[in-house]
Each structure stands twice: as structure tokens, then as C-alpha cells.
Amino acid sequence: MLSLSNTLTKQIEPFRPLRGRSVRMYSCGPTVYAPAHIGNMRAYLFADVLRRVLLLNGYRVKHVMNITDVGHLTDDADAGEDKLERAAAQQEKTAAELADFYTQAFLRDLTRLNILMPDALPRATEYITEMIALVERLEQRGYTYTTADGVYFDTSKFDAYGQAFGLEKALAGDQAGARVAVGEKRSPHDFALWKLTAPGIKRQQEWESPWGRGFPGWHIECSVMSRALLGQPFDIHTGGIDHVAVHHTNEIAQSVAAYGKPLAAFWLHSAFLTVNGGRMGKSEGNLITVDELIAHGIEPLALRVLVLGAHYRSPLNFTMEALTGAQHSLDHLRAICRDLPKPPARVNAQLNAKVRKWSDAFLTAVNDDLDTPHALALTWEVAKSGRDKTATSACLAYADAVLGLGLSEVIGKQLVVPEEVMALVTARETARIEKDWARADRLRSQMEALGYTLEDTKNGPKVRAVEKGNTMPTSR
Ligand code: AMP
Ligand code: ZN
């Protein structure tokens, strides 16, 4: 039985879909004005593991992730500039060109990290009409007010504001302190539903509306697109922990106020990837992209190993040493897989019992609120057990459905080392015997340039492929 930590109740609850065997899941996606960093990718890796665990449990999954291509302001308090408009002006591109470019870059990162493609990737700009309709509905129901610069959600009219996540006390504290910039707003927690283009300004992305020319607030897109594509309520909503207090609280306020129903049954939030204990982020100036990992000779899948090694609700401190360690683990696991037979298409009863015992333990681990550190430990245990190779092969193929490390593709694929590389290995052995370490190192570098690496074992040198073939950046 799958159990998940639900931010609504702060409890680990048994999960069952609202309807039959299909799970409808929505993940807040990227704002496409800059490359995503590996902190962002942690949030998407978490959603991917969740999706894979649902599939392992035999559910069908419909996964929607939005692409924010308008309306996300540099300041979460509804002031500041639109991130896309600003980046476009700085780079002398159109907002649409920039959005296309960074959407493609994002999709490439998903692929490199072996993240299953969402079933739908709606863009905010495709749902402007529906967003205007939702704001009108909220207006008719008395939940809004209009100022000189936009239409705002009036949190004083929605008694349950912040209650979904148990934030009402914390929010009341803010109100009393009133230290937050309010601008045109009546309360710091009110938020923009529709922003009007400032007089005398021509924005690249703006639309006519009943309130005047402008663009949507950031939160409204998720309420609209999740409902349009998944219905309301749907099963699971995911995002990073930073979304709880504002973005998700506001999504819930809009959707519940408009339709009198919850937006989603389960809300799951992943913790930050940190650097020296602080959040990795653009404003922190400490971000690393997937392209940069590759430039450092690290495979994107090594990041996947690193992220799987921490529970999604625990902060994960990033260091290059930890990532290099993850790369070595991945290389080692693949080498073990290569030495195994292909997973059997059919298993006899005896083998089946062995595999079953192990796969049940693996399933229990991932079903325990996605305990991937435990699942990885079990995977290493079986990989190193050296017992029944056919059973091990079947177990690793099973695990890989969740781990997504591409193990299934290498199981049973003995490495065919080209003659040219074997010649370098032999030459290096000779150099070593002659204690000509400089020559030995040079020969090793030549091998590595050809995509192979080597480990000296007590049985002689062991050659491994450096599996980076399909992961190099397309431009750099
Ligand atoms: P953004 O593009 O800033 O809206 O962020 C996209 C996603 O990445 C959101 O779900 C954030 O919660 C998440 N996120 C941002 N920074 C980090 C970080 N350092 N570690 C983990 N997740 C993050
Ligand atoms: Zn969202």
C-alpha cells in the first residue's frame, strides 16, 4: 500500500486515487526565462520518482506540468517586472523566442535526467481566455477588487485563506506586523489575478480584458490549467517547498472560492537542494546547470543518483565531491549490470520466489513515502550479493523502473571494447611494468579521450565505458 506525506494534513496517509485506477497529477513547472538549475531539477526528479512509483503500483498516470511563459514577476509581492519581458529586453529577443528557447532547453534536461515526459506541458499564454473567465467568476462572486494597476484577490473575503496548509496563524502575524510592501493592495496577502499594463507602456505580451489591457497574475494559470486538463479535484499536486506559503496557498484560495471544491486531494512538496546550507537559486548566485555538470565530465544521471540518495523531504546539500561519488556509484552499478545475464522473460517458480521476496521489499521501501535512500540501499545489496545472477538481473530491472538510471539498457550487454582501446590497455600495462608512470598516465588519458576508463583490480586492468554518448550538450 502506497503512503504519501500530504502537506494538507502533515501526515503520511494511505494513497488511493479519487477515481478508479487512474491518477491525475499536476506539477508546477518552470518559468522559461533562463536555464533551469539543478536545484529546480530536484523538484522535477522528485515528481518523476512519484510518477514511476505510481506506475509500479499498477496505476495509470496522467501527468501535467505547466510552462510559465508570462506573468511571473521578479518580486513575489506582485511588484517588479515580468521575468520574461525583462530577460527578453536584456537579450534583445522577443519574449516568445526566449520562452521557446528555454522550454526546449528544459525538455532536453528532462530527457537527459531520464525524467518521463509529462503527458501535457501547457503554456500559460495558451490559456489567457480561460484565465480571464476565472477572474470574472471570482469577481462575480465578490472575491476581488480592482485598483489602478490590476485586479486582486481579496483574502479578507475568503475565510479559509491559508487554512489548507495550517498557515492562518503565521499569516495573521504578518498582517499585524504589516512589514510587507503592499503597493496597491489592501493586505499583503492579497494577490494579483490580472495586472494592467502601465499607462504609456507597450508590453510584448499583453491581452485585452474586461478590466483593460494587461496580463495574468502568476498563480491563476495553475488553477486554470490543472482544472482544464485534469478536472477538479484531481489527485496529486506537487511542487517545491517554497511554493507552500504563497503560490499553492493562492492556487487553493482561487480554485476553492470559484468552485466550492478542493483543488487536489494530496499536496506533496520537495525540499531544497542547498549549497553550504543555503538554497541554490538564481538570486543566491550559486546555481549550477545540467550543461555545466556535463562540462565537468559528470553525467546528468549521476545527479539522479545523488538526488535519489536523499529523502525528498530532507534538504540535500550539494557538493562536487558528493556528485563525483554518485558518478562512481553509477559507473560501478552499470559495470555490475553488464556482467549479468539478460533479465529472464519468464521465470520458474523457484527463481520467482527469490525475485518476489526482493521486489516486495523494494516496493515496500518506495511505498513508504518514496523512501529512495532505502530503495537504493536494497539495490546495492542485491547488486553486490553475487548470488543467483539471473535473479539479480530480474531484481535490478525491476528497481530501474523507479530509479530510472538506464540500468535495464545495460543489463547483459557485455562491453565490447574496440581493438584500438585494447591496444592502449596493453601498452599501458607494459609502461606500468617498466615503471614509466608518465607514459602510463598518457596512455590512460588517450583511452579516456576515446570514451573508456580503466580500473586496476587484483585480476588485472578492468575497462569500462564512460557512458556519456547521448548526454553531451548540443551547443557550448
Ligand atoms: P521556479 O522556476 O523558481 O518557479 O522554480 C521551479 C521549481 O524549482 C519550483 O518547484 C521550486 O520550488 C523548485 N526549486 C527552486 N529552487 C530550488 C532548490 N534550490 N532546490 C530544490 N527545488 C528548487
Ligand atoms: Zn503552480
Side-chain angles (χ1 to χ4, degrees):
M1 179 83 209
L2 172 60
S3 298
L4 298 170
S5 173
N6 190 348
T7 312
L8 292 179
T9 57
K10 300 186 177 57
Q11 306 269 331
I12 298 183
E13 296 174 31
F15 173 79
R16 261 187 215 89
L18 296 168
R19 283 202 312 238
R21 301 288 298 165
S22 320
V23 179
R24 292 164 291 152
M25 169 172 158
Y26 184 91
S27 302
C28 288
T31 305
V32 283
Y33 71 108
H37 57 77
I38 61 174
N40 300 134
M41 298 322 286
R42 183 183 189 195
Y44 308 121
L45 281 165
F46 145 69
D48 183 60
V49 168
L50 172 58
R51 177 171 171 191
R52 287 168 177 269
V53 169
L54 290 164
L55 293 170
L56 194 71
N57 279 275
Y59 296 120
R60 284 188 300 280
V61 180
K62 179 164 182 191
H63 186 203
V64 176
M65 183 185 286
N66 65 306
I67 301 283
T68 302
D69 58 354
V70 69
H72 195 169
L73 302 186
T74 48
D75 175 339
D76 276 347
D78 296 311
E81 295 172 82
D82 184 318
K83 291 183 179 181
L84 266 138
E85 296 267 331
R86 188 176 68 168
Q90 284 167 351
Q91 299 180 29
E92 297 181 2
K93 297 245 168 61
T94 68
E97 279 166 0
L98 214 61
D100 279 345
F101 181 82
Y102 287 116
T103 302
Q104 290 314 317
F106 176 69
L107 299 183
R108 197 166 68 228
D109 283 350
L110 293 186
T111 307
R112 288 156 157 178
L113 288 165
N114 221 358
I115 292 174
L116 301 172
M117 234 353 113
D119 298 292
L121 289 151
R123 295 174 175 220
T125 50
E126 296 165 346
Y127 282 82
I128 300 294
T129 312
E130 291 84 348
M131 289 192 237
I132 291 173
L134 177 54
V135 180
E136 283 185 296
R137 187 179 170 103
L138 288 167
E139 186 172 52
Q140 283 152 15
R141 296 184 155 220
Y143 288 109
T144 69
Y145 58 86
T146 303
T147 72
D149 82 343
V151 183
Y152 289 87
F153 187 93
D154 186 348
T155 51
S156 72
K157 298 279 168 57
F158 184 69
D159 290 341
Y161 186 76
Q163 283 175 16
F165 297 128
L167 293 172
E168 57 280 23
K169 282 219 182 78
L171 297 178
D174 283 358
Q175 208 95 1
R179 303 279 290 276
V180 190
V182 288
E184 299 255 345
K185 297 191 286 188
R186 293 179 189 163
S187 148
H189 302 127
D190 295 351
F191 55 91
L193 296 165
W194 185 263
K195 291 279 278 189
L196 296 169
T197 304
I201 301 277
K202 175 86 187 84
R203 280 174 53 100
Q204 289 193 31
Q205 304 196 105
E206 54 182 6
W207 295 265
E208 287 305 330
S209 82
W211 313 278
R213 198 156 41 85
F215 59 100
W218 172 41
H219 317 293
I220 196 89
E221 68 181 84
C222 289
S223 283
V224 163
M225 300 195 292
S226 61
R227 182 183 162 94
L229 294 165
L230 297 172
Q232 180 181 343
F234 55 91
D235 295 290
I236 304 179
H237 195 309
T238 78
I241 188 79
D242 54 322
H243 283 165
V244 176
V246 179
H247 182 52
H248 289 171
T249 291
N250 293 350
E251 279 185 35
I252 290 174
Q254 296 160 161
S255 293
V256 175
Y259 301 105
K261 301 193 243 189
L263 181 57
F266 275 74
W267 291 75
L268 270 72
H269 294 99
S270 53
F272 283 144
L273 188 72
T274 60
V275 181
N276 300 324
R279 169 183 179 170
M280 177 179 286
K282 202 167 169 56
S283 34
E284 288 73 6
N286 59 5
L287 60 79
I288 301 177
T289 62
V290 172
D291 275 355
E292 283 163 352
L293 294 189
I294 294 169
H296 277 88
I298 301 279
E299 283 178 76
L301 288 183
L303 177 66
R304 201 170 164 113
V305 173
L306 187 74
V307 167
L308 289 167
H311 189 264
Y312 74 92
R313 286 189 291 118
S314 305
L316 168 58
N317 199 50
F318 175 83
T319 61
M320 219 46 204
E321 294 73 49
L323 188 63
T324 308
Q327 177 72 63
H328 289 151
S329 293
L330 179 62
D331 290 342
H332 190 180
L333 207 48
R334 281 205 194 104
I336 293 173
C337 287
R338 288 191 181 283
D339 283 340
L340 296 171
K342 285 221 166 306
R346 293 167 128 234
V347 284
N348 63 32
Q350 200 190 2
L351 181 63
N352 197 21
K354 280 189 205 167
V355 176
R356 243 335 238 291
K357 186 153 172 272
W358 187 86
S359 63
D360 282 352
F362 183 92
L363 183 63
T364 304
V366 293
N367 277 356
D368 177 13
D369 194 26
L370 316 180
D371 191 349
T372 53
H374 187 193
L376 263 186
L378 290 170
T379 302
W380 272 111
E381 236 171 77
V382 76
K384 286 184 169 171
S385 66
R387 287 198 292 268
D388 184 330
K389 286 195 159 205
T390 312
T392 302
S393 164
C395 293
L396 291 178
Y398 180 86
D400 200 42
V402 171
L403 303 180
L405 297 176
L407 302 181
S408 298
E409 282 103 75
V410 292
I411 293 175
K413 289 222 178 106
Q414 282 285 350
L415 192 61
V416 184
V417 183
E419 268 175 39
E420 180 188 5
V421 175
M422 281 319 291
L424 291 170
V425 174
T426 313
R428 177 174 170 277
E429 274 307 281
T430 312
R432 272 161 52 84
I433 290 164
E434 292 166 5
K435 297 199 174 0
D436 185 347
W437 308 120
R439 182 154 56 98
D441 283 350
R442 233 174 13 250
L443 288 159
R444 179 202 261 283
S445 304
Q446 284 177 30
M447 274 182 70
E448 289 180 346
L450 293 171
Y452 291 82
T453 183
L454 168 149
E455 194 188 342
D456 293 306
T457 74
K458 54 180 186 297
N459 302 322
K462 198 159 173 160
V463 183
R464 273 188 208 160
V466 183
E467 321 241 357
K468 296 196 183 68
N470 55 0
T471 55
M472 294 307 281
T474 47
S475 64
R476 240 208 119 69

